[in-house]
Amino acid sequence: LVVLGNPVLISVISDGSHLHMHVYFFLCNPSFLDICNTGSCIPPILDSFLTVRKSISFFGCMVQMFLSFAMGATECMLLGIRALDCYVAMCYPLRYPAIMRKDAYVPMAAASSVAGLVDTVVQPSVAMQLPFCANNVINLFFCEIQAILKLACADIAINVISMAGSMLILLVIPLLLISFSYIVIVATILRTPSTEGKRKAFSTCSAHLTVVIIFYGTIFFMYAKHKSKSSVDPDNQDIVEALISLFYGVMISMLIPLIYSLRNKVVKTAVKNMLWEEKL
């Protein structure tokens, strides 16, 4: 579904001239990253299931971390930008076309990609400098930064500080922007007199809000520092962490194109038309 869904979404948006708008432009970047990220994770997982080989090279591990950071960081920034887009559409509908011009949304998307690329280069590069002299076993389905740092036999204070700064810029700030936008959006919708108007307004932002909840909810469970103090079996804890990381690395890449296409009538119609034309 990832390999088919994301390219279909990109093709539909690229081929449909009526979809050459910033709303759909923002969908192409994460879709491309989802393909790359899943392509680096799934083949080694399937290989480990089907063969006796359970290892991954250091370079392959770094590539997985690189693409995982690229997807996560860029997606966080784009979710914040799309929340701002919903805010402008809901609160300033008459000025919306003038505000969200091409010379406004293209630089925003480019800034998101640059921020994601910088974070992607910094975090794995700092991790690559660490010495690994223990039993290098990763209790996850693929390489993830926290699992790698657990294997280091040196001080990881610099890594922790850089990750904290990265999370502040790429997680917290977009989340604050999303929260502010939706607080104002909800207040605006509640002031709408007609029930039909409220329904259409909620439907407009429902796909984006669904992705925000799934994406940030998964990241929260992955990177939350506080852990339960209850007596949990370490093996069960490893299984839970592995399943959460698998959901982040694979399931989100599958769900995002489905959510955006199924919740958007224009995209859904374009996909149906493209598949029907190919069938003919």
Side-chain angles (χ1 to χ4, degrees):
L1 288 175
V2 173
V3 171
L4 294 177
N6 285 288
V8 166
L9 188 61
I10 295 174
S11 299
V12 166
I13 294 173
S14 301
D15 296 339
S17 58
H18 63 295
L19 296 178
H20 291 175
M21 301 167 58
H22 63 280
V23 175
Y24 309 107
F25 174 77
F26 287 141
L27 301 182
C28 292
N29 291 10
S31 293
F32 175 74
L33 291 172
D34 287 341
I35 297 171
C36 297
N37 182 48
T38 307
S40 70
C41 295
I42 295 299
I45 293 175
L46 296 178
D47 180 62
S48 67
F49 287 159
L50 300 175
T51 65
V52 296
R53 189 178 67 87
K54 306 294 182 183
S55 61
I56 184 172
S57 67
F58 183 75
F59 177 77
C61 191
M62 291 301 111
V63 169
Q64 287 188 356
M65 273 205 301
F66 182 91
L67 293 174
S68 177
F69 267 107
M71 185 199 79
T74 305
E75 185 70 30
C76 285
M77 299 293 288
L78 288 176
L79 287 175
I81 292 174
R82 295 208 66 236
L84 183 63
D85 174 68
C86 290
Y87 162 75
V88 176
M90 293 292 104
C91 301
Y92 304 97
L94 298 179
R95 298 173 55 189
Y96 180 74
I99 295 175
M100 298 304 293
R101 304 183 309 273
K102 185 174 182 179
D103 57 352
Y105 68 77
V106 171
M108 287 193 292
S112 300
S113 300
V114 170
L117 180 62
V118 171
D119 183 65
T120 299
V121 171
V122 169
Q123 301 301 334
S125 298
V126 175
M128 288 175 64
Q129 308 304 317
L130 294 172
F132 300 98
C133 51
N135 184 19
N136 296 329
V137 176
I138 301 172
N139 292 318
L140 296 175
F141 290 107
F142 57 91
C143 293
E144 192 267 333
I145 186 67
Q146 286 192 329
I148 298 299
L149 294 181
K150 289 180 181 179
L151 302 178
C153 52
D155 186 14
I156 59 172
I158 296 178
N159 302 80
V160 173
I161 293 172
S162 64
M163 284 187 61
S166 172
M167 292 177 70
L168 175 63
I169 297 172
L170 299 174
L171 278 178
V172 178
I173 293 179
L175 184 59
L176 291 175
L177 180 61
I178 293 169
S179 302
F180 168 78
S181 299
Y182 274 102
I183 289 173
V184 179
I185 288 171
V186 171
T188 302
I189 292 175
L190 293 178
R191 290 197 299 266
T192 304
S194 66
T195 304
E196 182 66 16
K198 291 179 180 179
R199 187 189 65 80
K200 287 184 177 180
F202 276 117
S203 177
T204 300
C205 300
S206 61
H208 175 259
L209 188 58
T210 302
V211 172
V212 167
I213 293 172
I214 294 175
F215 189 79
Y216 273 95
T218 306
I219 289 180
F220 173 78
F221 283 108
M222 281 183 64
Y223 292 103
K225 298 301 182 182
H226 176 73
K227 293 187 178 181
S228 175
K229 300 300 181 181
S230 58
S231 55
V232 180
D233 185 359
D235 292 336
N236 291 336
Q237 184 69 28
D238 289 340
I239 292 174
V240 171
E241 291 180 357
L243 291 176
I244 292 175
S245 68
L246 184 66
F247 185 89
Y248 172 79
V250 180
M251 297 301 292
I252 288 180
S253 299
M254 180 193 74
L255 291 174
I256 287 178
L258 290 177
I259 292 171
Y260 281 131
S261 59
L262 294 178
R263 294 296 301 172
N264 189 299
K265 292 182 180 180
V266 177
V267 175
K268 185 162 57 174
T269 302
V271 171
K272 288 181 179 178
N273 293 338
M274 188 189 74
L275 295 178
W276 179 253
E277 290 174 0
E278 289 183 355
K279 184 178 180 180
L280 293 178

